């Protein structure tokens, strides 16, 4: 179980025993409003009132530092989604994080941009798209795409 807190922490606990297994601390100390697990069970994405989307790696507990930070929202991030499509044959699809903010935008972040060594270049290539929603974004939801003619298999964003 992963939980975001008012003090800027992401806590990972055993749901049965309630024991804290890991604690990650943001550098802003502002409320963490959304937390999502990645499919591998070793990474967590979080976001909150500082407008930064962070990737945490459970294998790097001693560092207590986000593996990646995606900066671009101008206000609190209220909702996150992780989309990690399963590869179908040779077609490689990109893993993405979608964030919705009080700044009226929805951003799509490239979760798989490990190719770049330079942190500045990683940040430049991280944002794949921005949609102006026209109002604060409070929640996001993917709806499975049932259109058989769509070859990308990308779900609809509601």
């Amino acid at each position: 179980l992963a939980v975001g807190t008012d003090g800027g922490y992401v806590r990972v606990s055993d749901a049965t025993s309630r024991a804290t297994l890991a604690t990650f601390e943001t550098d802003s100390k502002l409320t963490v409003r959304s937390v999502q697990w990645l499919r591998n069970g070793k990474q967590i994405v979080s976001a909150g009132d500082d407008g930064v989307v962070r990737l945490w790696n459970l294998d790097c507990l001693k560092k207590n530092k986000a593996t990646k930070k995606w900066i671009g929202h101008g206000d609190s991030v209220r909702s996150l989604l992780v989309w990690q499509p399963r590869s179908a044959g040779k077609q490689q699809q990109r893993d993405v994080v979608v964030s919705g903010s009080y700044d009226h935008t929805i951003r799509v972040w490239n979760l798989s941009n490990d190719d770049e060594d330079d942190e500045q270049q990683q940040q430049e290539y991280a944002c794949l798209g921005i949609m102006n929603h026209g109002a604060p974004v409070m929640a996001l939801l993917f709806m499975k795409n049932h259109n058989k003619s769509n070859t990308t298999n990308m779900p609809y964003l509601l």
Side-chain angles (χ1 to χ4, degrees):
L1 178 66
V3 178
T5 71
D6 283 342
Y9 293 95
V10 175
R11 294 191 201 281
V12 179
S13 302
D14 181 296
T16 305
S17 69
R18 298 182 188 172
T20 299
L21 304 174
T23 301
F24 298 108
E25 183 178 359
T26 65
D27 40 356
S28 72
K29 307 281 192 211
L30 296 175
T31 300
V32 175
R33 298 213 176 256
S34 188
V35 180
Q36 291 282 316
W37 283 98
L38 271 62
R39 186 184 310 137
N40 64 16
K42 295 181 179 181
Q43 293 174 303
I44 299 169
V45 179
S46 72
D49 286 353
D50 63 359
V52 179
V53 179
R54 291 177 175 83
L55 178 69
W56 305 97
N57 190 337
L58 290 173
D59 291 337
C60 300
L61 294 177
K62 292 179 182 170
K63 292 182 182 176
N64 194 20
K65 182 179 176 189
T67 307
K68 292 182 185 178
K69 289 183 189 179
W70 295 296
I71 301 167
H73 283 292
D75 206 336
S76 174
V77 175
R78 295 299 179 111
S79 187
L80 288 173
L81 289 174
V82 175
W83 185 58
Q84 295 180 280
R86 300 200 186 271
S87 297
K90 295 181 181 179
Q91 185 180 9
Q92 182 64 20
Q93 294 188 355
R94 202 175 268 170
D95 295 345
V96 298
V97 173
V98 181
S99 56
S101 172
Y102 242 51
D103 69 0
H104 301 203
T105 65
I106 298 168
R107 291 177 182 259
V108 180
W109 305 96
N110 183 4
L111 189 57
S112 312
N113 69 331
D114 291 330
D115 306 346
E116 303 295 333
D117 292 330
D118 180 15
E119 195 171 315
Q120 180 64 32
Q121 275 190 317
Q122 274 190 1
Q123 187 64 38
E124 287 176 22
Y125 295 111
C127 189
L128 300 173
I130 303 169
M131 182 178 96
N132 189 340
H133 176 62
V137 179
M138 300 302 288
L140 297 168
L141 174 68
F142 278 137
M143 182 179 82
K144 186 175 180 180
N145 184 355
H146 294 286
N147 181 358
K148 301 293 183 201
S149 65
N150 184 346
T151 57
T152 65
N153 245 0
M154 179 73 172
Y156 296 107
L157 182 63
L158 299 176

